[in-house]
Amino acid sequence: MRIALDAAGGDFGAAPNVAGAVRALQTVPDLTVVLVGDQAQLEPLLAAQDGVPAQRLEIVHTSDVVGMKDKPTEALRRKPDASIFRCWQLLAEHKVDGLVSAGNTGAVVAGGLKTRRFLPCVHRPGIAAVMPNARGHSVVIDVGANVFPKPRHLLEYAIMGSVFAQELLGVSRPAVGLMNVGEEEGKGHELVQKSYELLRQGPLRDQFVGNVEGRDIPRGVADVIVTDGFTGNVVLKLSEGVFEFLMNVVRERLVESLQGEKEQAALAWRDLIGRYHYSTFGGAPLLGIDGVCLICHGASSDVAIANALRAAARFVQLRLNASLVAALEQLPPDGEE
Amino acid sequence: MRIALDAAGGDFGAAPNVAGAVRALQTVPDLTVVLVGDQAQLEPLLAAQDGVPAQRLEIVHTSDVVGMKDKPTEALRRKPDASIFRCWQLLAEHKVDGLVSAGNTGAVVAGGLKTRRFLPCVHRPGIAAVMPNARGHSVVIDVGANVFPKPRHLLEYAIMGSVFAQELLGVSRPAVGLMNVGEEEGKGHELVQKSYELLRQGPLRDQFVGNVEGRDIPRGVADVIVTDGFTGNVVLKLSEGVFEFLMNVVRERLVESLQGEKEQAALAWRDLIGRYHYSTFGGAPLLGIDGVCLICHGASSDVAIANALRAAARFVQLRLNASLVAALEQLPPDGEE
């Protein structure tokens, strides 16, 4: 299968993208990566890599880039040839099966919305993120594609998140929770109250565990947490921030306070970082589009990029979209939403 | 000064409230606590305590309680004599200077909204929570009183949060950030976009550091984080949950993996729990009401209740509301909001 990589995307430019592509190609034999970026920049970076499977690596040249601080809608208008939009174009033209980007998330989503190639029954795609918890992992959807959704969108996110948890986390009947400020029915603002009703009556009614609170996410109360993209984005970034903050104080105040067993404690500490760090989850898919799109953290290393390319290849192989379409077909017709 | 304590509030009933009240009285000489709850239940609990300063402890009897799962508005209608509403009544009648409750947060807020005794220029009170971060502490406002606010409310929260950070955290010119999904201007939904404009032009324009993301909270980028009560509630509870989860895995996988220095590591671990646990911050004030109202975690221990009573006493002594009123007077007249 063929995956386009937004080689200019991310906080560190082309280098981790090129290295990540080579890493992924070395472990996935039937993968071809299309590097979309500045050829003059990419070629020397490739030349510096060992063991490049050159016949499975293509370059599509473009020198335009959407910066991390650019406004997505403006970028769409002013830089239609930017690397991320060229990736979407390749997907629309069926020249690739999927795309991976560590660039400006808003621009990735804007490019996807512009193509309007959504799966049947999907009104708005949503980003699903996998987060560690005390019982394993859960899926939070949406984490930033749709900051002011309608209740119907959350219902669609529940369906897509549930299929994703089944396929990716291997949970046979994922428990679906609605992010809210309290467990009781009737809590929260209009969006969650109306979404609660739709979820309670919808095709996932037997998997719906009701409202969940912030503390329920790390406790692993639900396998899928459905929320608006504003709250979900805060949830994802806050979790990452609290993780960084606490692991730092654990190192400074606990590991460093030891004498004889400091080395052993430091090893255990690094193991925890590896176990719960975002880079191990290989990017967050934009679910609901016809194709595969994986969005990576801006600060992605080559390891994270390689993980994302492998994950994208896996979604193509799994035919995740076919499962999403089958599940979405169970939705009742869209009423007044 | 006199503080009413919702003695029936919290997950563990009257016991931690009574023990907490006695603890607080023993350390704050000019404090009187009015226990509001079931006299028949409170008296034996008091009799079991040593060193009770009985002349500074009063009981106001009521046997009605708002349960943690009761709907606040229904409770207001059906149980007007519930302990938390009696606390508000005592405040409205100037029989106490403040109140403390570990009960149903929605009911505490509903009781406050019903009295309508807001400070001048305040349209809606907001709950301010103090959270630890890599540089000290920050104030997040609102964490649950107002789940669908207007931009004007967020402007008022910024002013109140800033005064609170000055008085409580000793920051002379608190940096104020707006919770959003990205740093750039123009990010997010209509509420944050409009609030951004109000903050940029408002009396705190020189302290306004713009949008902050989830990960910026633990990094300590701002001293005050302004947000709607839905997002703020998720932020507060998620931080608590991630803290619990990570400290558990640190104990299981790091502390327990050691041999000779296990005891020392366990001590350092407990020190971290003490340093960053919510109970040390003594409850979250509902800012904007004429009086002092501190809302405690439902799972508050006697230590947490005592901390909250001491904090409430301190706010009364500091004349926090006078400072809030002085700052709120700088607000421009309320336009179309």
Side-chain angles (χ1 to χ4, degrees), chain B residues 114-264:
Chain B
K114 200 195 164 200
T115 67
R116 302 283 320 168
R117 294 182 65 231
F118 302 165
L119 297 177
C121 310
V122 170
H123 290 77
R124 284 290 295 274
I127 304 173
V130 176
M131 283 176 54
N133 65 47
R135 296 171 56 201
H137 293 92
S138 52
V139 175
V140 181
I141 180 169
D142 165 48
V143 299
N146 189 2
V147 295
F148 203 72
K150 295 186 172 169
R152 172 74 181 198
H153 303 166
L154 294 201
L155 179 62
E156 293 167 8
Y157 293 160
I159 307 267
M160 294 197 286
S162 174
V163 170
F164 183 65
Q166 277 169 2
E167 302 280 339
L168 191 91
L169 308 180
V171 188
S172 59
R173 284 170 53 82
V176 176
L178 177 65
M179 182 90 263
N180 207 332
V181 296
E183 288 171 21
E184 304 79 30
E185 203 181 326
K187 284 271 181 180
H189 45 47
E190 199 183 329
L191 168 67
V192 288
Q193 287 173 3
K194 287 194 171 173
S195 302
Y196 188 101
E197 279 311 303
L198 288 183
L199 286 163
R200 206 172 53 83
Q201 297 159 11
L204 294 183
R205 55 188 167 275
D206 298 333
Q207 290 165 246
F208 181 49
V209 297
N211 293 323
V212 294
E213 299 181 87
R215 66 174 74 95
D216 295 329
I217 302 181
R219 286 180 185 171
V221 167
D223 303 299
V224 177
I225 292 105
V226 175
T227 189
D228 65 275
F230 189 91
T231 309
N233 189 273
V234 171
V235 162
L236 183 69
K237 291 174 178 168
L238 177 66
S239 302
E240 183 194 321
V242 174
F243 175 80
E244 271 178 22
F245 161 53
L246 284 179
M247 292 310 282
N248 275 338
V249 298
V250 166
R251 183 172 46 75
E252 285 164 20
R253 293 183 180 270
L254 195 160
V255 176
E256 293 294 326
S257 78
L258 302 177
Q259 305 286 328
E261 289 187 301
K262 190 189 288 189
E263 266 309 298
Q264 194 184 329

Side-chain angles (χ1 to χ4, degrees), chain A residues 55-126:
Chain A
Q55 71 291 358
R56 294 190 283 120
L57 194 60
E58 299 169 15
I59 292 180
V60 166
H61 171 74
T62 178
S63 53
D64 260 4
V65 184
V66 182
M68 294 309 253
K69 306 225 158 203
D70 287 351
K71 287 193 182 181
T73 44
E74 252 180 63
L76 256 181
R77 202 171 52 241
R78 288 181 35 217
K79 301 176 180 176
D81 284 327
S83 55
I84 178 57
F85 303 137
R86 291 297 294 275
C87 289
W88 278 111
Q89 205 183 324
L90 292 170
L91 191 70
E93 294 164 355
H94 300 279
K95 291 182 178 159
V96 295
D97 304 297
L99 66 90
V100 168
S101 175
N104 183 319
T105 300
V108 181
V109 174
L113 294 182
K114 200 194 165 201
T115 67
R116 304 282 321 164
R117 294 182 66 230
F118 302 165
L119 298 176
C121 310
V122 170
H123 289 77
R124 284 291 295 273

Side-chain angles (χ1 to χ4, degrees), chain A residues 74-310:
Chain A
E74 252 180 63
L76 256 181
R77 202 171 52 241
R78 288 181 35 217
K79 301 176 180 176
D81 284 327
S83 55
I84 178 57
F85 303 137
R86 291 297 294 275
C87 289
W88 278 111
Q89 205 183 324
L90 292 170
L91 191 70
E93 294 164 355
H94 300 279
K95 291 182 178 159
V96 295
D97 304 297
L99 66 90
V100 168
S101 175
N104 183 319
T105 300
V108 181
V109 174
L113 294 182
K114 200 194 165 201
T115 67
R116 304 282 321 164
R117 294 182 66 230
F118 302 165
L119 298 176
C121 310
V122 170
H123 289 77
R124 284 291 295 273
I127 305 173
V130 176
M131 286 176 52
N133 64 47
R135 296 171 55 201
H137 293 92
S138 51
V139 175
V140 181
I141 180 169
D142 167 49
V143 298
N146 190 0
V147 295
F148 204 72
K150 295 185 172 170
R152 173 74 182 197
H153 303 167
L154 294 200
L155 179 61
E156 293 167 9
Y157 293 160
I159 308 267
M160 294 197 283
S162 174
V163 170
F164 183 66
Q166 277 169 3
E167 302 281 339
L168 191 91
L169 308 180
V171 188
S172 59
R173 284 171 52 83
V176 176
L178 176 66
M179 182 89 264
N180 206 332
V181 296
E183 288 170 23
E184 304 78 31
E185 202 180 327
K187 284 270 181 181
H189 44 48
E190 199 183 329
L191 167 68
V192 289
Q193 287 173 3
K194 286 192 171 172
S195 302
Y196 188 101
E197 278 312 303
L198 288 184
L199 286 163
R200 207 172 52 84
Q201 296 161 10
L204 295 182
R205 56 189 166 276
D206 297 334
Q207 289 165 247
F208 182 49
V209 296
N211 293 323
V212 295
E213 299 181 85
R215 64 174 75 94
D216 295 329
I217 301 181
R219 286 179 184 170
V221 166
D223 302 299
V224 178
I225 293 106
V226 175
T227 189
D228 65 275
F230 189 91
T231 308
N233 188 272
V234 171
V235 162
L236 183 69
K237 291 175 177 168
L238 178 66
S239 302
E240 182 194 321
V242 174
F243 175 79
E244 271 179 20
F245 162 53
L246 284 179
M247 292 312 282
N248 275 338
V249 298
V250 165
R251 184 172 44 76
E252 285 164 22
R253 294 182 179 272
L254 195 160
V255 176
E256 292 294 325
S257 78
L258 302 177
Q259 305 286 328
E261 288 188 302
K262 189 189 287 189
E263 266 309 298
Q264 193 183 330
L267 272 176
W269 182 87
R270 273 193 288 275
D271 176 65
L272 289 178
I273 297 278
R275 196 178 285 270
Y276 298 115
H277 204 263
Y278 61 88
S279 69
T280 47
F281 304 111
L286 181 65
L287 296 182
I289 56 138
D290 184 11
V292 168
C293 166
L294 269 189
I295 298 173
C296 303
H297 198 286
S300 288
S301 64
D302 53 343
V303 175
I305 296 291
N307 282 338
L309 286 165
R310 278 190 281 263

Side-chain angles (χ1 to χ4, degrees), chain B residues 25-154:
Chain B
L25 288 167
Q26 286 165 345
T27 52
V28 186
D30 53 351
L31 173 66
T32 293
V33 174
V34 181
L35 290 171
V36 181
D38 188 343
Q39 189 149 15
Q41 211 184 352
L42 296 175
E43 278 175 347
L45 285 168
L46 272 172
Q49 295 279 322
D50 288 327
V52 179
Q55 71 291 357
R56 294 190 282 122
L57 195 60
E58 299 169 17
I59 292 178
V60 166
H61 172 73
T62 179
S63 52
D64 260 3
V65 185
V66 181
M68 293 309 250
K69 306 224 159 204
D70 287 351
K71 287 195 184 183
T73 44
E74 250 180 65
L76 256 180
R77 202 170 53 239
R78 289 178 36 217
K79 299 176 181 178
D81 285 327
S83 55
I84 178 56
F85 303 137
R86 291 297 294 274
C87 288
W88 278 111
Q89 202 183 328
L90 292 171
L91 191 69
E93 293 165 352
H94 301 279
K95 289 179 178 160
V96 295
D97 304 295
L99 65 90
V100 168
S101 175
N104 183 319
T105 300
V108 180
V109 173
L113 294 181
K114 200 195 164 200
T115 67
R116 302 283 320 168
R117 294 182 65 231
F118 302 165
L119 297 177
C121 310
V122 170
H123 290 77
R124 284 290 295 274
I127 304 173
V130 176
M131 283 176 54
N133 65 47
R135 296 171 56 201
H137 293 92
S138 52
V139 175
V140 181
I141 180 169
D142 165 48
V143 299
N146 189 2
V147 295
F148 203 72
K150 295 186 172 169
R152 172 74 181 198
H153 303 166
L154 294 201

